[in-house]
Amino acid sequence: MSAKIYRANFECFVKYNKASFPDAFEINGRIQVPSDKFVVSRNKQGIPISRYGDDVWDFRFYRLAGDSGSARINFEFAQKSYRNEAKWLAFLLIYCAESSVNYGISIATIMNYMKSVRRLIGYASSQSRSIATLLSEKKHLDEFISTLETRTLLTGFSSLVGHLAHIPSDISGYKISSLYSSFLAREKSKELPVDFQHPVIPPRLLSSLISDLEMFLNEILASIDNLIGFTKNIIHDPLFARCDSKQRQLGVQRRGMAPFFYEASSIYGLGELLFKYSVSNIPGLSKFLTRIQHACRIYIHIYTGMRHSECLSLKNNALVIEKMMGRNVYKVFGDTSKFVGQKKRVAWVTSKEVVKAFEIAQKISILICSQCDILQDDAPLFISVSYLRFTGANIDLNAPLIIQKHANKDQEIFNFFPSEPYAIEDSDFEHLVAIDPFRTWHKEKAFQLGSVWRFTTHQLRRTLAFYVSQSANVSIPALKSQLKHISREMTLYYCNASACISEFDHDEHISHLMREIKPESDAHAYLAVVADRTEPLFGTYGRFVDRNVTERESEGLLLNDRKELVSRFKKGELAYKETPLGACMTTSPCDKKLLRLVSACISCDKAIIKTSKLERVIARQKVLVDELKSKDDSSIALRTELSELEDLESYQRRIALLKNKEV
């Protein structure tokens, strides 16, 4: 029988310049466990890092950029009598498991499978049974499944059993009783409570975060060159900015000492800035740079909707400004592998606002790269500050690059912001209830009144999609202004345009989330109009709503029929779009936009018109007419805009008459 050769599942994810492949596994049709010398990982020079017989397998060189989880398997979790079983299970997953998408299996996915392996080994040892016995007898498998208490563990074990069942038993040595156990695990996971969605951040809180980040980044941007110069001087001069005792240790007498930290920072015009943020020594400077990186990353998250791992994978040259139809379009290019099956080059449309965050992060990255001989263009945007060695850490420059993941809360920018503006208020809580009235918010500790909001990147992603897909959901003027540009760009490229679709084409891209969440967002905006009884609605559709939906019915619609309403928006039976005069409910293409007249909405049978908005439009139209009169009182433009003003004022008078009749 001819030998069959298996290669590691993660090889398709690896760039040749980052690492060399591990050994290939050759099987002659029977169980053949590798020798202890079999190489399971190598560095980029081809030197073995881990062998099969080692108790720790290090796969960091094969990890995708931006992956935030561990990439080292430590088999000491298993008792010695079960350690070989654990290694064999891990090896089968790495070499013999078949990916459902035919692209191999990434290290991050393999590490997730190892959680199930750990539980399986732990259970087998507690029952004094072999893994082979446990997997081959349905009774034992079912008993093990009953010990798995979370959805993650159940789905993970279901995948593990599925992989093992598809590996021939004469290779694995395991005869899986049936795929019923995999099915049972999936069914049990469905019985568990559904995981809550990440909340949409209330507008007031998001606006506060954006404002605080903008102020901080603008402050840093004004001083970034001086900060880089100051840091370089510290790196190259072993005495500069060091304390008295440190310089004495280096044999320097008092008269010959270099300036201490505060004096040294003042030379670069940084005294006031560093004093403001309590940076008083070199380790403090390291933490300060780390928090600056975090501020840049959170700002990029806000304006792109990227995942945590996607943002961490960015390179220094990720931001690209393209000219399209005479205007700048800002794109961030990076890699993703989440739910795609392989590493994929994708783009995120963003706003010019992120330029300052990129510029700051780039300069810090270039500074760090200069200390470890990394090519600047190919360098990670968020490379770890630990390479500066300001905290005494011993860094191996031959090991995989360390990305600054901000796993420690002490490294986050939020430490520089006062907590009071982020305490949850009544209006914030009401916003959460309005978006998801079926969730028991009052029982969740994190969202109680007075609790300080804890921001996560998943929240920022869902919030951006929710607000941008329906701008009427943004109730605070400051936030609407902050999101205005990104809203226009994202809507154009993600929701309407088909150009460059390959850049955005995968199911978990923010563009897909926007299209998916838009019906929910539109329904929420519509409900807000229906439930708002502060002013009557006009326009044909507005009068229909006002006459047929009483306050009691609106409450019922909000609480009882929300799911059905969202379903109707998904099916295209209902539509909602904010307009200068109110809103539009048409489900078909608008044939009045061609006129480019706001007053065209007046005669539309799908229009909802609010008097407050009508008054604002009339006031602005008067200013425009007066400006045109001052330039040329006989121009065509003046006559057109004057006619527009007269139509709007005429409609305003009709509304006044209707109000008088109803009184």
Side-chain angles (χ1 to χ4, degrees):
M1 181 180 292
S2 60
K4 187 171 183 179
I5 297 176
Y6 290 87
R7 304 203 66 90
N9 263 309
F10 51 73
E11 286 191 5
C12 62
F13 298 97
V14 180
K15 287 186 176 180
Y16 289 96
N17 62 341
K18 284 191 174 181
S20 298
F21 292 147
D23 287 349
F25 183 49
E26 185 175 316
I27 294 181
N28 291 302
R30 56 187 177 82
I31 301 172
Q32 186 179 350
V33 177
S35 71
D36 284 350
K37 294 183 179 180
F38 184 96
V39 177
V40 294
S41 65
R42 287 185 168 90
N43 64 14
K44 58 186 177 183
Q45 287 82 27
I47 300 171
I49 299 296
S50 305
R51 299 179 185 274
Y52 187 87
D54 297 340
D55 283 343
V56 177
W57 294 358
D58 189 346
F59 296 110
R60 287 177 294 171
F61 278 105
Y62 304 121
R63 183 170 54 190
L64 291 174
D67 282 350
S68 55
S70 172
R72 300 170 79 242
I73 303 176
N74 188 339
F75 291 102
E76 291 180 358
F77 73 83
Q79 297 178 13
K80 285 190 176 181
S81 57
Y82 283 89
R83 201 165 294 174
N84 287 335
E85 290 263 34
K87 290 180 182 179
W88 180 234
L89 283 170
F91 189 84
L92 289 173
L93 290 170
I94 294 170
Y95 276 86
C96 302
E98 294 184 5
S99 169
S100 59
V101 289
N102 297 320
Y103 289 132
I105 303 174
S106 69
I107 287 298
T109 302
I110 290 168
M111 297 304 295
N112 280 329
Y113 287 150
M114 287 305 299
K115 295 175 185 176
S116 296
V117 172
R118 285 170 179 265
R119 290 296 291 255
L120 190 66
I121 293 290
Y123 180 79
S125 61
S126 70
Q127 301 295 313
S128 299
R129 295 192 182 98
S130 69
I131 297 297
T133 300
L134 189 59
L135 291 174
S136 63
E137 297 186 19
K138 177 180 174 299
K139 176 186 174 183
H140 296 321
L141 268 178
D142 290 353
E143 288 174 354
F144 171 66
I145 290 172
S146 69
T147 68
L148 304 178
E149 64 278 0
T150 69
R151 187 183 297 272
T152 300
L153 288 172
L154 286 163
T155 55
F157 178 70
S158 174
S159 298
L160 173 64
V161 171
H163 280 308
L164 294 176
H166 285 95
I167 299 173
S169 59
D170 57 349
I171 292 176
S172 69
Y174 301 125
K175 294 182 178 180
I176 308 298
S177 62
S178 72
L179 285 177
Y180 169 76
S181 296
S182 178
F183 168 78
L184 183 64
R186 289 197 304 271
E187 290 303 300
K188 184 183 175 184
S189 71
K190 293 177 183 177
E191 297 173 3
L192 297 177
V194 177
D195 294 333
F196 287 130
Q197 284 185 305
H198 297 282
V200 173
I201 303 168
R204 184 189 68 83
L205 297 173
L206 182 58
S207 183
S208 295
L209 177 62
I210 294 175
S211 296
D212 283 345
L213 285 170
E214 280 183 344
M215 290 177 62
F216 178 78
L217 291 176
N218 286 336
E219 191 174 21
I220 297 302
L221 185 62
S223 303
I224 187 62
D225 290 334
N226 290 345
L227 187 61
I228 296 299
F230 175 58
T231 308
K232 280 183 177 179
N233 204 340
I234 291 174
I235 293 169
H236 297 302
D237 186 340
L239 301 179
F240 186 74
R242 270 68 177 189
C243 63
D244 180 284
S245 60
K246 180 64 176 178
Q247 294 193 47
R248 288 186 187 279
Q249 287 177 12
L250 295 173
V252 180
Q253 298 300 316
R254 187 70 180 85
R255 288 184 179 180
M257 285 185 179
F260 301 147
F261 190 86
Y262 180 75
E263 181 184 357
S265 66
S266 298
I267 294 172
Y268 283 85
L270 298 170
E272 186 176 339
L273 176 70
L274 298 186
F275 179 79
K276 177 180 178 179
Y277 292 106
S278 302
V279 182
S280 57
N281 52 37
I282 293 176
L285 177 63
S286 179
K287 182 188 292 185
F288 185 54
L289 292 172
T290 300
R291 289 181 177 179
I292 292 173
Q293 286 182 316
H294 188 249
C296 294
R297 184 166 65 79
I298 294 298
Y299 205 66
I300 292 170
H301 279 296
I302 289 173
Y303 282 101
T304 62
M306 303 176 83
R307 281 191 176 78
H308 179 71
S309 59
E310 291 167 343
C311 201
L312 290 178
S313 72
L314 294 178
K315 305 296 185 184
N316 271 338
N317 56 1
L319 181 64
V320 175
I321 304 174
E322 298 178 354
K323 278 284 185 183
M324 287 190 180
M325 295 181 289
R327 59 190 178 85
N328 289 336
V329 175
Y330 298 83
K331 291 183 180 180
V332 178
F333 284 86
D335 297 315
T336 187
S337 62
K338 183 78 171 179
F339 300 116
V340 180
Q342 64 178 347
K343 198 170 180 180
K344 179 180 174 66
R345 181 76 167 168
V346 290
W348 291 265
V349 174
T350 188
S351 165
K352 62 181 178 182
E353 300 297 325
V354 304
V355 173
K356 57 175 167 254
F358 261 91
E359 184 177 340
I360 293 169
Q362 277 178 332
K363 290 189 175 184
I364 294 175
S365 174
I366 290 171
L367 168 69
I368 297 170
C369 290
S370 66
Q371 304 309 304
C372 40
D373 297 325
I374 300 171
L375 294 176
Q376 293 179 5
D377 283 347
D378 194 40
L381 185 63
F382 296 108
I383 189 169
S384 175
V385 174
S386 60
Y387 285 106
L388 298 179
R389 306 186 186 188
F390 285 167
T391 58
N394 187 20
I395 305 296
D396 181 4
L397 296 180
N398 293 317
L401 290 177
I402 303 172
I403 307 299
Q404 191 66 61
K405 298 169 185 173
H406 302 99
N408 188 332
K409 290 183 180 180
D410 191 48
Q411 299 173 335
E412 296 179 343
I413 185 60
F414 305 127
N415 291 282
F416 286 150
F417 299 158
S419 60
E420 290 79 8
Y422 298 103
I424 298 174
E425 299 178 356
D426 288 330
S427 61
D428 306 319
F429 192 83
E430 289 169 3
H431 177 85
L432 294 173
V433 173
I435 289 178
D436 190 351
F438 302 106
R439 183 167 171 177
T440 54
W441 295 101
H442 63 282
K443 292 184 179 180
E444 297 185 53
K445 185 177 179 181
F447 305 112
Q448 298 306 297
L449 293 178
S451 298
V452 175
W453 188 278
R454 175 68 183 165
F455 294 97
T456 69
T457 54
H458 284 292
Q459 291 173 9
L460 295 172
R461 173 179 164 80
R462 184 163 186 260
T463 300
L464 179 66
F466 190 86
Y467 287 155
V468 167
S469 63
Q470 177 48 261
S471 60
N473 284 304
V474 184
S475 56
I476 294 181
L479 181 56
K480 182 168 286 191
S481 175
Q482 289 164 331
L483 295 180
K484 183 177 180 181
H485 180 75
I486 186 64
S487 176
R488 182 175 65 246
E489 298 297 337
M490 280 192 162
T491 302
L492 175 63
Y493 286 95
Y494 293 160
C495 296
N496 300 327
S498 59
C500 306
I501 192 67
S502 62
E503 294 178 353
F504 320 127
D505 185 24
H506 71 81
D507 288 346
E508 294 299 317
H509 191 280
I510 183 67
S511 62
H512 180 83
L513 180 60
M514 281 179 60
R515 292 191 292 270
E516 187 179 73
I517 209 171
K518 184 167 175 56
E520 178 188 348
S521 184
D522 288 350
H524 175 73
Y526 173 67
L527 284 170
V529 169
V530 170
D532 182 10
R533 316 307 297 174
T534 57
E535 64 175 308
L537 304 178
F538 294 92
T540 304
Y541 200 94
R543 296 299 288 171
F544 165 78
V545 171
D546 225 31
R547 289 170 180 168
N548 293 279
V549 183
T550 64
E551 184 171 355
R552 180 180 176 184
E553 287 171 337
S554 71
E555 291 173 357
L557 180 66
L558 179 63
L559 296 175
N560 301 322
D561 300 331
R562 179 186 175 90
K563 290 182 180 178
E564 181 182 345
L565 187 70
V566 172
S567 176
R568 292 185 66 190
F569 272 96
K570 285 182 177 179
K571 293 175 183 176
E573 297 172 2
L574 284 175
Y576 180 92
K577 182 176 179 61
E578 192 181 41
T579 67
L581 294 180
C584 178
M585 299 295 298
T586 184
T587 57
S588 57
C590 178
D591 58 359
K592 293 179 171 53
K593 288 181 180 178
L594 295 174
L595 300 174
R596 301 184 67 83
L597 297 174
V598 175
S599 60
C601 293
I602 292 172
S603 59
C604 178
D605 62 356
K606 295 295 184 181
I608 295 176
I609 295 175
K610 289 189 170 185
T611 53
S612 58
K613 287 196 167 189
L614 177 62
E615 289 169 1
R616 285 199 294 270
V617 171
I618 288 175
R620 291 173 182 172
Q621 189 69 14
K622 285 180 177 178
V623 172
L624 176 58
V625 167
D626 289 342
E627 184 179 338
L628 291 172
K629 277 183 181 178
S630 67
K631 293 179 179 178
D632 184 355
D633 60 4
S634 62
S635 67
I636 294 176
L638 173 60
R639 291 199 298 272
T640 302
E641 299 301 338
L642 186 58
S643 175
E644 171 85 335
L645 176 60
E646 289 170 351
D647 288 342
L648 293 169
E649 288 179 327
S650 174
Y651 189 73
Q652 187 181 42
R653 289 192 291 271
R654 285 167 55 194
I655 288 178
L657 288 172
L658 281 172
K659 286 182 177 179
N660 290 333
K661 285 181 180 179
E662 291 175 357
V663 173

